[in-house]
Amino acid sequence: MCIRDSFRDLAMCVCRTFHGTLECIVLDTALQLQLQTTEELMEKLRMHKPILEGALYRLKMDALLREEQRDLMMAGGESNKTIKKTTSYWFCDWKMMFDKTNLRLVRMIRKTRAGVKPAETGYQCVQCDKQFGVIDEAELWQSDGTKRCPECGGEVEDVEQTKAVTAANSVDYEQLVKEIKPLMDQISEIQRRSTVAPLSALDIARESLSNDGVTRKDIIAVSYTHLTLPTKRIV
C-alpha cells in the first residue's frame, strides 16, 4: 500500500465513524479527484448545491477536507465586462487531517475515562444525599434495625447500590474504545512506520520551485526516509 493510500484510508475511516453516508460519498469523490471546485463536485455527484455545501462544511470542520478560495477573473454580462468570481477548491491536507484526528481521539478517550470513577464505599442518605463512611455506621443504626440519617432522619442506603452509574460509565468507555479501535490501529501503524504525510492536491498543483523543473513532490519523495511526523503515539 502506498503512503497516500494509508492516509486516504484513515480519512475514510474517520468519516465512516463520525459522519453519515452523504459525507462519506462526498469525501470519497473529493479524494479521488485532484483539487476540485464546488461546481465540479456538484457535476460529478449530481447533487444540489445547498446539500453539497452542507456536507463539505461538516467535512471541513473535522479537517477531512480543506478549502482554498481563489479569485478568478471572468468575462460576463451583456457588455462582456471582466468580473471577479471567488471559487472554492477542495482537497485534503493529509498532515492536518492526521494530527487533528489523533488529537481528537486522545481527547475523547481522556474525557470518557475521566467519567469512570472507582466505586465508593460507605452510605448515603436518599433524602438529603449526605454521605457517611464505614466509620459512621454505628450512628446510622436504629432500634428497629434500619439505618437512618442522623441529620434529617431519611433512609440510608449502601453506596454499593449506586454503582450502576459507575458501571454505565465503564460500559461507555469500553464501547468508545471498541468503536474507535480501527482509527487507533491505523494511526499507530502510520506512526510506527514514521511515515511522512504525502503532498496535498494543492501542493501538487503549484508551480515548480525552480527553473530546473524540481518540484516539491520530488523533494518530499527524497525526504521520506529522513522526516517523521511530529505526533505522539496514543497510549
Side-chain angles (χ1 to χ4, degrees):
M1 179 182 295
C2 69
I3 295 173
R4 185 176 183 277
D5 287 344
S6 299
F7 282 81
R8 186 184 185 282
D9 289 346
L10 174 61
M12 290 304 304
C13 189
V14 173
C15 193
R16 288 191 296 268
T17 302
F18 299 110
H19 294 281
T21 304
L22 174 63
E23 288 78 12
C24 290
I25 293 174
V26 173
L27 181 63
D28 182 61
T29 303
L31 296 183
Q32 290 177 3
L33 306 174
Q34 294 293 328
L35 201 60
Q36 297 296 298
T37 65
T38 304
E39 289 72 20
E40 289 170 333
L41 288 172
M42 284 175 54
E43 182 178 356
K44 183 75 174 179
L45 294 167
R46 296 185 179 183
M47 190 177 294
H48 292 297
K49 189 173 183 178
I51 298 176
L52 175 61
E53 288 181 335
L56 290 172
Y57 174 80
R58 290 186 289 273
L59 293 171
K60 177 182 175 181
M61 290 298 97
D62 273 357
L64 295 174
L65 284 179
R66 181 178 164 187
E67 180 182 15
E68 180 79 7
Q69 292 187 338
R70 295 181 180 178
D71 293 331
L72 304 179
M73 306 307 296
M74 305 177 63
E78 297 180 356
S79 59
N80 204 30
K81 291 183 178 179
T82 301
I83 58 176
K84 183 172 69 173
K85 179 182 178 182
T86 301
T87 303
S88 293
Y89 290 84
W90 297 92
F91 62 98
C92 181
D93 186 325
W94 303 108
K95 182 180 182 302
M96 182 174 71
M97 179 276 297
F98 179 91
D99 288 340
K100 288 201 172 184
T101 298
N102 194 9
L103 180 61
R104 179 180 187 176
L105 296 184
V106 170
R107 287 176 173 173
M108 288 177 63
I109 291 175
R110 287 178 178 174
K111 182 178 180 180
T112 310
R113 183 181 292 170
V116 183
K117 299 179 180 179
E120 300 176 1
T121 57
Y123 308 94
Q124 181 174 347
C125 176
V126 298
Q127 184 169 313
C128 67
D129 293 331
K130 183 177 178 60
Q131 295 184 349
F132 305 92
V134 178
I135 194 174
D136 303 315
E137 183 177 2
E139 300 179 13
L140 305 178
W141 286 107
Q142 305 298 312
S143 57
D144 57 359
T146 61
K147 293 190 290 291
R148 294 283 176 179
C149 174
E151 301 290 335
C152 68
E155 183 181 353
V156 174
E157 292 182 344
D158 296 346
V159 177
E160 295 292 333
Q161 297 179 12
T162 66
K163 281 186 177 181
V165 176
T166 301
N169 289 335
S170 179
V171 171
D172 291 342
Y173 174 72
E174 293 175 0
Q175 181 65 25
L176 172 66
V177 172
K178 181 179 179 181
E179 291 178 354
I180 67 176
K181 188 178 185 302
L183 294 175
M184 297 170 62
D185 290 343
Q186 290 194 44
I187 287 177
S188 297
E189 178 62 19
I190 291 174
Q191 291 176 323
R192 184 185 64 80
R193 292 181 294 165
S194 298
T195 307
V196 176
L199 292 173
S200 68
L202 179 64
D203 294 325
I204 297 174
R206 284 173 177 165
E207 297 180 350
S208 300
L209 293 179
S210 68
N211 295 329
D212 295 331
V214 179
T215 64
R216 292 186 66 207
K217 184 177 181 181
D218 298 325
I219 295 174
I220 296 296
V222 175
S223 303
Y224 275 145
T225 56
H226 303 289
L227 300 177
T228 57
L229 286 171
T231 51
K232 297 181 179 179
R233 182 181 295 274
I234 295 178
V235 294

